[in-house]
């Protein structure tokens, strides 16, 4: 089955390249990566590989990228080669390299930060709950804006007036809390994760087009039935060519 699958990938490569160029031409994209099983020909068993996903927020265009199952910093560089614009990601270290690129602005994902603090509830419920209260205030602003139909410059103004002060308060709270917390504890590690990312996490307030998190690209990955796909046996076959190549390259169905 993998022979015809590889052949199909090769036939679709031209369309894939066109979609890839179109997605990377947009000035605001979200990037994420997800695991998928890949057959190791030497070990004769399935091993964990990674599929990358890039979503152009405006236009709902999505492209997947597979590079020998790699999740390396080099793969991230190849994936976003020559890109100019804003990239929204989680806190994975492969994206740190783009902070020094004058043509790229990196913004963070509050959903990932919120998950880290939710995981810390079991260890220190009081401290984690305080942190989550700050983050929930940020999402409350987003929900209010959505219900009121606020977007664009009006949303930017609302965020800068209501959300940014909360972020500053949260930053102060973390600096105060970290001195009372073991750095080896889950709470300490979560603060160590969140604090360095705070500049990135704050940038969404500067543009009403930006999302508070990168859930859109995560949803694009979740919408695809990975468990129903054949396990990739040949790493050179870019299975990404077959994933999410829908009419017009656009997302369809719920969660788009």
């Amino acid at each position: 089955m993998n022979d015809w699958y590889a052949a199909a990938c090769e036939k679709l490569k031209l369309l894939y390249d066109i979609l890839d160029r179109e997605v990377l031409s947009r000035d605001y994209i979200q990037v994420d990566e997800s695991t998928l099983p890949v057959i190791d020909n030497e070990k004769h068993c399935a091993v964990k590989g990674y599929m990358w996903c890039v979503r152009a927020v405006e236009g709902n265009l999505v492209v997947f990228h597979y590079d020998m199952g790699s999740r390396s910093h080099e793969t991230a560089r190849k994936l976003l080669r020559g890109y100019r614009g804003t990239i929204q990601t989680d806190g994975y270290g492969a994206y740190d390299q783009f902070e020094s690129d004058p043509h790229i602005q990196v913004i963070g994902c509050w959903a990932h930060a919120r998950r880290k603090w939710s995981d810390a509830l079991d260890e220190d419920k009081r401290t984690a709950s305080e942190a989550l209260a700050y983050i929930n205030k940020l999402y409350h602003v987003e929900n209010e804006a959505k219900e009121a139909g606020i977007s664009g410059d009006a949303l930017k103004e609302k965020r800068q007036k209501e959300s940014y002060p909360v972020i500053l308060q949260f930053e102060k709270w973390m600096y105060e809390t970290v001195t009372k917390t073991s750095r080896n504890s889950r709470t300490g590690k979560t603060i160590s994760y969140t604090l360095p990312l705070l500049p990135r996490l704050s940038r969404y307030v500067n543009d009403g087009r930006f999302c508070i998190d990168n859930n859109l690209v995560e949803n694009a990955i979740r919408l695809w039935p990975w468990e129903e796909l054949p396990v990739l046996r040949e790493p050179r076959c870019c299975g990404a060519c077959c994933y999410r190549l829908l009419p017009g390259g656009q997302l369809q169905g719920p969660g788009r």
Side-chain angles (χ1 to χ4, degrees):
M1 181 167 67
N2 276 276
D3 290 337
W4 65 257
Y5 188 69
C9 290
E10 289 302 318
K11 294 293 185 183
L12 289 169
K13 184 66 164 59
L14 177 60
L15 292 176
Y16 174 84
D17 289 342
I18 293 172
L19 177 59
D20 182 55
R21 288 194 298 270
E22 180 63 26
V23 170
L24 293 179
S25 72
R26 305 303 176 96
D27 66 354
Y28 173 34
I29 59 175
Q30 296 182 342
V31 187
D32 198 14
E33 66 287 335
S34 182
T35 60
L36 81 165
V38 181
I39 291 295
D40 187 311
N41 291 325
E42 294 182 359
K43 297 180 180 179
H44 304 290
C45 64
V47 297
K48 183 170 68 174
Y50 285 89
M51 182 72 78
W52 296 68
C53 180
V54 183
R55 176 168 183 162
V57 177
E58 296 176 325
N60 285 338
L61 298 173
V62 171
V63 66
F64 287 91
H65 178 80
Y66 180 79
D67 182 24
M68 304 290 286
S70 173
R71 198 191 182 206
S72 69
H73 292 209
E74 176 61 26
T75 297
R77 280 195 296 274
K78 288 191 291 185
L79 172 64
L80 299 170
R81 62 199 177 284
Y83 180 73
R84 295 187 175 209
T86 298
I87 299 171
Q88 187 162 30
T89 73
D90 58 21
Y92 178 43
Y95 304 112
D96 293 348
Q97 60 189 303
F98 300 112
E99 286 281 7
S100 59
D101 190 322
H103 303 299
I104 292 177
Q105 174 180 229
V106 185
I107 59 178
C109 171
W110 276 104
H112 280 84
R114 183 166 59 178
R115 284 176 211 148
K116 294 280 188 182
W117 284 105
S118 294
D119 290 342
L121 283 168
D122 291 340
E123 180 187 80
D124 188 342
K125 186 173 182 179
R126 182 186 64 80
T127 303
S129 295
E130 289 181 24
L132 287 169
Y134 286 108
I135 298 174
N136 288 339
K137 287 180 182 179
L138 301 178
Y139 275 92
H140 178 69
V141 173
E142 297 302 303
N143 291 335
E144 277 189 341
K146 184 176 181 180
E147 291 174 2
I150 298 174
S151 60
D153 289 341
L155 177 56
K156 171 185 172 180
E157 183 178 350
K158 182 176 178 65
R159 286 170 168 174
Q160 292 183 343
K161 180 180 178 181
E162 301 178 28
S163 299
Y164 190 59
V166 174
I167 294 173
L168 294 179
Q169 293 168 11
F170 187 32
E171 179 182 36
K172 180 181 178 182
W173 176 88
M174 283 191 287
Y175 275 118
E176 293 173 349
T177 304
V178 73
T179 61
K180 313 168 190 174
T181 306
S182 169
R183 292 188 178 272
N184 294 323
S185 66
R186 182 172 289 181
T187 300
K189 291 177 180 178
T190 303
I191 293 176
S192 296
Y193 170 87
T194 310
L195 261 178
L197 291 176
L198 212 55
R200 217 181 279 182
L201 289 166
S202 303
R203 290 172 189 151
Y204 81 99
V205 307
N206 294 322
D207 193 319
R209 297 177 306 145
F210 297 160
C211 301
I212 189 173
D213 53 44
N214 68 345
N215 283 351
L216 289 176
V217 72
E218 288 193 350
N219 291 341
I221 294 175
R222 292 193 189 104
L223 279 172
W224 194 264
W226 301 101
E227 68 280 358
E228 298 176 13
L229 293 170
V231 176
L232 294 181
R233 182 178 294 276
E234 191 172 339
R236 287 173 296 178
C237 164
C238 181
C241 291
C242 293
Y243 300 167
R244 193 54 74 188
L245 269 179
L246 295 174
Q250 293 183 331
L251 286 176
Q252 300 180 3
R256 59 183 176 175

